[in-house]
Amino acid sequence: MSQRVFAVFMTLLFVVIVAIPALAKGPVTRFYNYIYDPGQLKPVDSHIKVKVGDIAPDFALPALSGKSVKLSSFRGENNVVISFIPAAWTPICSGQWPGYNIVEKHFRDNDAVLLGISVDNVPTLYAWTEQIGGLWFEVLSDFWPHGDVADKYGVLRSDGMADRALIFINKEGVITGLQVADINIRPPLEYVFQELDRFSSR
Amino acid sequence: MTSKYVAFSVVTILFASVMSVGMQTSLHATELLPDITLTVPENKDYRDYLGLGGTPGEEFRLAEIDGDILLIELFSMYCPYCQAAAPKVNEFHTLARQQEEKGITIKVVGLGASNTQFEVEYFRDTYGIEFPLFPDKTLAMYKKLGGEGTPGFIGCLLGNKGEPVVVLRESGGFESPEGFLAQLLEKAGYK
């Protein structure tokens, strides 16, 4: 009996000291507690295999929407921006794609679709993007064969992640701009706008 | 035997609670706002709002802002929670300005963590933000202010001749603009 009473009090102790303060922090704190910080990484750990003027290598990847998205299906219809990110649940990536949520109009104004690509599998990407609050663009999984598309473009790192890269492809399927950024730094929005605007200025 | 367990647990709970409250109080009681320097904005409305006499491009200290209370918002254009919180922060700003009728001047500035000037301006235009936003591209100000995620808020008491005193820190946004304003006023000693 005495042990039971002790157990009840220890449970109360846990609730008062640990559980209540943790819950009181709210959703934002709880999300950022889940972010894994890999620390500073080698800025670029891949060798780009495409260049401006090339026909962008075609691919088909599973999307979170359940569709299989094929790059060449946009040919003649839309400009395409591919955003390769290294990994879900990491600090910079978690602060890159959500920013594109408020610039959707600028993509549409330039007749461009955005395809986000990560080497994570679909369930991981689903959980992460739901936690972020959702994204307006297609998120594609380059999980299997692992990093195959990233490798085709030459942005697959030696550790199996992709480098942080942006590829701009016009309606003819030609690469008009690309940037393999320092993996530790988010590419500035100015660059994205500059390349999007070039779609319309041609 | 049972009474010993009960007594031990009760004492432990009380001790932990007292320590927790005591630590929080001591952390916030006399915290001075770190010395932060910003560039005087080109926008005349911002200069007037902040009560700055300097020339655009010159530097000014947060401590020079004219008002009784200063609220600093740490945000990022890329942060989904900052995007979601923006309308509530705007509401707060409107309510804060209305306090002038009661003789209390509250000023708000936003520091864009890891944001460029372009990104800060895009965020401002997207959400129709009326208070001044400044880029903090290198996160230098965020780190100096002890930021703990975005959105984050730091409330300071201005108006005395000394350095601004931090009276409130809030990470992760707030539920109600009215409630947050009441909390800020209370912490600043106005209620």
Side-chain angles (χ1 to χ4, degrees), chain A residues 13 95 98 131 186 189-190, chain B residues 2 13 78 81 83 114 116 119:
Chain A
L13 185 69
Q131 187 73 65
R186 188 178 50 231
L189 190 63
E190 294 89 312
Chain B
T2 303
I13 289 170
Y78 291 88
Y81 305 108
Q83 296 164 4
S114 191
T116 62
E119 290 165 342

Side-chain angles (χ1 to χ4, degrees), chain A residues 2 5-6 9-10 13 16-17 28-29 31-32 94-96 98-103 131-132 186-190 193, chain B residues 2 5-6 8-10 12-13 16-17 77-81 83 113-116 118-119 122-123 127 150 171-172:
Chain A
S2 61
V5 172
F6 182 67
F9 271 93
M10 289 312 286
L13 185 69
V16 169
I17 295 175
V28 174
T29 305
F31 171 64
Y32 280 103
S94 300
Q96 180 178 347
Y100 298 153
N101 270 351
I102 63 170
V103 299
Q131 187 73 65
I132 283 170
R186 188 178 50 231
L189 190 63
E190 294 89 312
F193 273 44
Chain B
T2 303
Y5 280 126
V6 171
F8 171 76
S9 300
V10 168
T12 308
I13 289 170
S17 303
M77 186 213 89
Y78 291 88
C79 154
Y81 305 108
Q83 296 164 4
S114 191
N115 286 179
T116 62
F118 182 85
E119 290 165 342
Y122 197 88
F123 189 76
Y127 295 103
T150 53
S171 291

Side-chain angles (χ1 to χ4, degrees), chain A residues 19 40 53 68 73 93 101 105 107 115-116 131 139 154 163 185 192 196:
Chain A
Q40 287 289 303
S68 173
S73 68
C93 304
N101 270 351
K105 183 175 182 302
F107 277 83
L115 303 177
Q131 187 73 65
V139 172
D163 260 320
I185 299 171
V192 177
L196 282 172

